[in-house]
Amino acid sequence: MYDLSAGEILRFHQAPGNMTVSTPYVVQVISPIQLLSNQASDAHRCMVSDGERMSLAVIPNKLSARVADETITRFTVLKVKKCSVSKKERQNDTPMLFIVIHDAEILGTVGEKIGNPAKLTEQDDVAAGAPQSFAAAPAAAESPISRPAYQPQYQQPPAQQQPQSHFGGAQSSSSSSFMSRVDDIKPKYSAMGSSAPMHTGAPPSVHPISDLNPYHNKWTIRARVTQKTPIKVWNKPSSQGRLFSVTLLDDSGEIRGTAFTQQVDKLFPLLEAGKVYYISNAQVRMAKQQFSNVNNQYELTFDDNTLVELCLEQANVPQEHYDFIPLGGLEKFQKNQVVDILCVLKDAGEVSEITMRTDDRKMTKRDLTIVDKSGFQVRAALWGTEAETFNVPVDHVIAFKGMRVGDFGGRTLSLPSMGSMTVNPDIPEAHALRGWYDAEGRHMSFQSYRGTGGGGGGGAGGIGSAENFEAQLKTMAQVGAENIGATDNVEFFNLKGTIAFIRSNNLAYPSCPGENCNKKVTEDLSSGQWRCEKCERSWPAPDYRYIFSFNVSDDTGQNWLQCFNEVGELLLGATANEMMELQRVNEVAFGQKLADATFKEYKFRCKAKSETFNEVSRVRISATNAYPIDYVAETARLSRLIDSYN
């Protein structure tokens, strides 16, 4: 039996303010672990006990893999090495205690609850007028860990207990909603001046950005604004307004902050790129990664209560933060994830103009070819002004901040409006890359993600090398057991299996023959023409394209996959037009063609995504590529697998 740190949760409850605790203590998970359904991540929640009291605990997504494989489950005993503790006030009730576990060691799992823990009650609160010092709280005699008295590392400065607006008067407790009414959507600035109020007096206690989470409601950060977007205006039938975003950095990490509508006028003149500020009273929410170039699962939303003060001491806050990813490691990242890249420019294309499919906007684009020490070359796209003004000579080193990963033909990169690039940055990594390129990289042949079969292509479009294929290979049973595709994100993986059945109904759909359209067309029975509503044209005949489902099996089970035109042509050995004509004139030959395609073995590159239809969610798996088995290479792979067990 394990000894829990009795009294620990009570001391957390009686401590003044929020804090980060880095002295280890032992607790037990005493409830089923549940996914936080209102969060856009795989964070979990549960109840934990120190043997005497219980508290709500949050397990962030960096520990979620331990929950998924049931290493952390009900009745697991944890040695918590680092956590954040906060309290949420409740009307006519004792405050709710939250423990966000950042780092923990798993001691083991027992078959039952240890002790008889009780909920925190009003009797557990410190008596009014005689607040107990958290540092003076006696350590429990039965605690298995010898530790010094606690000191709360981050206490809220007294000035923030009753927030005052630097824009005039005390603030209302209600914050602005995302859909605040807008008097005038054009940018306008108040006459309060163009700089933030300067912080005077003693420096407040600050909280590191890396520890911010939705369960800490009182904090102050000291951060540098490293990026600031222009004001963007949206005007939709359902809403209208303005917004701008900043990237905030301290020595623990970075986070994105966004101001909407009414807060734009207040905060846009105050926050300047390159300067350091004290910021408090913003809302911490799950990040919408499709709009962010920051590697943080949370983001800030500025509201009426947000306080911004200019910090005089700026030397100790870093200027920029990079988390460089090698180009050869992009296959580990999903579409639309954001990465930092340090590379050498190998080639720069000309500026071109393209029409966006979503809204027919004209955009300028320039494609770059970049390389690095991983031996890969990747196509990177610049847009708009960045594309038009780009004039960096080839063979120069570039640091890209906030590149967005794409999966067109393998792995690509794109620099969004929030991203940035620095040519020949004065950092050690750039000097090392420059030396490598001059010594050997200039004369190398680089691998591309656009390859097929055994070449490059470990992303959405290609199987990749034998090692990459094996690293992402799943059995049919694993796909279900690991709930692949059950999250909000698209997941890529590899399968090897035999086609057991092909659905012949709805094998293909009639598409528009127009260039780069492929939209479904409908037949006008009166004229015999096929109408495309997107192109607003009629055609004498459609261009059929495959979209069908087929069943693939291996020795562990089976799964249904969906494929589109290119994969369909490979599997059936005929175009969709040929198959639809064959079905019309010779049903027997059509059936034989489908039979000939079954009981053949392939390697499949797959993507899985959860879809909701009629309020029912299900996982759809699509085969984005298929390759016949190379039995010589497959024999070598199986031989290596057998050797690994010896």
Side-chain angles (χ1 to χ4, degrees):
M1 189 65 70
Y2 298 92
D3 292 326
L4 305 183
S5 300
E8 208 72 8
I9 290 177
L10 179 58
R11 285 192 288 274
F12 289 164
H13 177 68
Q14 295 177 342
N18 304 321
M19 70 192 116
T20 296
V21 177
S22 56
T23 304
Y25 61 94
V26 178
V27 293
Q28 182 190 30
V29 177
I30 60 171
S31 72
I33 302 176
Q34 299 177 332
L35 188 67
L36 282 174
S37 58
N38 63 333
Q39 305 291 335
S41 75
D42 50 358
H44 294 76
R45 67 179 181 181
C46 61
M47 297 298 293
V48 297
S49 158
D50 64 3
E52 294 181 352
R53 297 290 189 278
M54 64 179 70
S55 170
L56 181 66
V58 176
I59 303 175
N61 56 0
K62 65 181 180 181
L63 293 175
S64 61
R66 313 301 297 274
V67 177
D69 64 14
E70 296 187 350
T71 308
I72 300 178
T73 185
R74 190 179 186 186
F75 302 139
T76 295
V77 179
L78 301 175
K79 179 181 179 181
V80 180
K81 298 181 178 179
K82 184 179 180 182
C83 73
S84 299
V85 179
S86 60
K87 285 171 285 192
K88 181 179 180 181
E89 299 295 332
R90 296 185 292 180
Q91 189 174 9
N92 299 325
D93 201 352
T94 187
M96 179 178 291
L97 187 69
F98 291 93
I99 301 174
V100 182
I101 300 173
H102 299 300
D103 187 19
E105 176 186 345
I106 299 170
L107 300 182
T109 300
V110 296
E112 60 183 359
K113 181 167 56 178
I114 300 175
N116 188 24
K119 294 182 179 180
L120 292 165
T121 65
E122 294 182 2
Q123 285 72 32
D124 292 323
D125 295 337
V126 179
Q132 178 179 336
S133 169
F134 190 69
E142 63 270 28
S143 173
I145 302 171
S146 176
R147 54 190 179 275
Y150 280 101
Q151 294 288 347
Q153 298 181 18
Y154 306 106
Q155 291 188 8
Q156 187 71 9
Q160 293 186 12
Q161 304 306 316
Q162 296 293 331
Q164 297 290 319
S165 170
H166 291 299
F167 316 117
Q171 293 295 322
S172 166
S173 61
S174 62
S175 61
S176 299
S177 69
F178 181 85
M179 297 301 181
S180 300
R181 63 180 183 273
V182 183
D183 296 326
D184 180 7
I185 64 172
K186 296 180 180 179
K188 58 183 180 180
Y189 307 112
S190 60
M192 61 185 168
S194 59
S195 61
M198 192 171 298
H199 179 80
T200 58
S205 298
V206 296
H207 203 91
I209 285 176
S210 62
D211 282 353
L212 292 182
N213 61 75
Y215 311 100
H216 270 181
N217 50 14
K218 292 181 181 180
W219 47 261
T220 297
I221 60 172
R222 177 173 173 263
R224 187 184 303 276
V225 176
T226 58
Q227 292 176 299
K228 177 182 175 182
T229 69
I231 295 176
K232 300 179 182 179
V233 178
W234 82 86
N235 193 354
K236 299 179 180 179
S238 59
S239 64
Q240 57 180 357
R242 293 166 290 134
L243 65 87
F244 81 96
S245 297
V246 292
T247 301
L248 303 170
L249 171 73
D250 67 9
D251 55 7
S252 73
E254 57 186 344
I255 195 168
R256 177 175 178 259
T258 302
F260 294 99
T261 321
Q262 297 171 350
Q263 281 67 49
V264 170
D265 294 335
K266 299 176 182 179
L267 298 179
F268 190 83
L270 303 188
L271 295 168
E272 300 180 38
K275 292 187 176 181
V276 177
Y277 300 89
Y278 292 112
I279 299 175
S280 60
N281 296 344
Q283 300 179 40
V284 184
R285 296 176 173 176
M286 298 303 301
K288 297 179 179 179
Q289 296 295 348
Q290 66 270 33
F291 303 123
S292 176
N293 71 325
V294 176
N295 185 22
N296 193 324
Q297 64 176 320
Y298 302 119
E299 63 185 8
L300 301 179
T301 298
F302 303 135
D303 59 26
D304 288 337
N305 295 323
T306 299
L307 305 181
V308 175
E309 293 181 310
L310 183 65
C311 176
L312 290 175
E313 179 55 48
Q314 304 192 10
N316 296 328
V317 181
Q319 296 286 340
E320 186 60 280
H321 171 77
Y322 292 103
D323 186 12
F324 291 124
I325 301 298
L327 295 177
L330 288 178
E331 63 183 10
K332 300 177 182 177
F333 293 85
Q334 298 172 354
K335 182 181 179 181
N336 289 330
Q337 283 191 270
V338 171
V339 295
D340 299 339
I341 299 293
L342 183 66
C343 60
V344 176
L345 178 66
K346 188 173 177 63
D347 184 54
E350 298 296 326
V351 175
S352 61
E353 185 178 80
I354 66 171
T355 302
M356 307 300 290
R357 288 188 177 184
T358 53
D359 52 12
D360 292 330
R361 284 183 300 125
K362 302 289 185 181
M363 291 285 292
T364 53
K365 178 186 178 185
R366 186 193 298 266
D367 284 331
L368 312 178
T369 302
I370 57 177
V371 300
D372 70 0
K373 295 171 69 173
S374 68
F376 273 75
Q377 67 178 25
V378 173
R379 179 167 57 85
L382 304 181
W383 301 89
T385 304
E386 292 282 5
E388 296 166 3
T389 60
F390 184 83
N391 60 355
V392 179
V394 296
D395 298 341
H396 279 236
V397 175
I398 304 177
F400 287 102
K401 177 71 176 174
M403 291 285 272
R404 197 171 299 281
V405 178
D407 62 358
F408 184 75
R411 275 295 181 263
T412 57
L413 293 167
S414 180
L415 187 67
S417 58
M418 274 289 289
S420 65
M421 64 177 177
T422 304
V423 180
N424 297 323
D426 187 15
I427 55 177
E429 297 94 330
H431 299 314
L433 182 63
R434 173 85 265 168
W436 164 82
Y437 188 77
D438 290 340
E440 54 181 299
R442 190 187 303 271
H443 311 291
M444 283 180 57
S445 296
F446 290 90
Q447 186 176 357
S448 173
Y449 282 107
R450 289 181 173 274
T452 59
I463 291 289
S465 66
E467 292 78 8
N468 289 337
F469 170 76
E470 189 168 348
Q472 301 184 54
L473 178 63
K474 303 291 184 182
T475 65
M476 300 297 170
Q478 283 179 300
V479 173
E482 297 177 10
N483 289 322
I484 294 177
T487 66
D488 291 335
N489 298 320
V490 178
E491 297 186 57
F492 291 96
F493 60 97
N494 298 327
L495 287 176
K496 183 173 75 76
T498 301
I499 297 177
F501 181 76
I502 298 175
R503 281 183 176 153
S504 59
N505 57 320
N506 299 323
L507 192 71
Y509 74 96
S511 74
C512 175
E515 185 177 2
N516 298 323
C517 182
N518 298 333
K519 291 294 184 181
K520 186 176 182 179
V521 295
T522 54
E523 185 178 13
D524 184 348
L525 297 178
S526 62
S527 64
Q529 297 283 303
W530 295 79
R531 177 71 177 173
C532 176
E533 296 300 332
K534 180 184 178 183
C535 299
E536 297 184 348
R537 293 183 61 183
S538 294
W539 307 87
D543 181 20
Y544 283 95
R545 295 179 63 83
Y546 287 121
I547 178 171
F548 63 85
S549 298
F550 59 102
N551 189 273
V552 179
S553 65
D554 64 11
D555 56 348
T556 69
Q558 54 83 31
N559 272 297
W560 284 97
L561 309 184
Q562 184 183 68
C563 75
F564 298 94
N565 202 58
E566 291 76 11
V567 176
E569 290 181 353
L570 186 148
L571 300 182
L572 296 178
T575 66
N577 284 332
E578 293 169 344
M579 287 296 291
M580 297 308 291
E581 177 65 17
L582 189 61
Q583 185 181 31
R584 187 180 67 85
V585 301
N586 191 337
E587 189 76 29
V588 174
F590 173 79
Q592 185 60 47
K593 193 74 173 175
L594 293 178
D596 292 342
T598 59
F599 303 111
K600 291 184 178 179
E601 193 175 25
Y602 292 89
K603 294 192 296 185
F604 297 98
R605 182 62 171 166
C606 301
K607 70 175 182 180
K609 180 173 175 52
S610 177
E611 297 181 351
T612 302
F613 183 73
N614 287 338
E615 299 183 355
V616 177
S617 296
R618 67 187 182 110
V619 175
R620 182 185 296 276
I621 303 175
S622 300
T624 62
N625 233 324
Y627 303 92
I629 300 296
D630 180 345
Y631 287 101
V632 174
E634 180 64 11
T635 301
R637 186 187 74 84
L638 294 175
S639 178
R640 290 196 307 270
L641 186 62
I642 293 171
D643 290 341
S644 68
Y645 287 96
N646 294 335

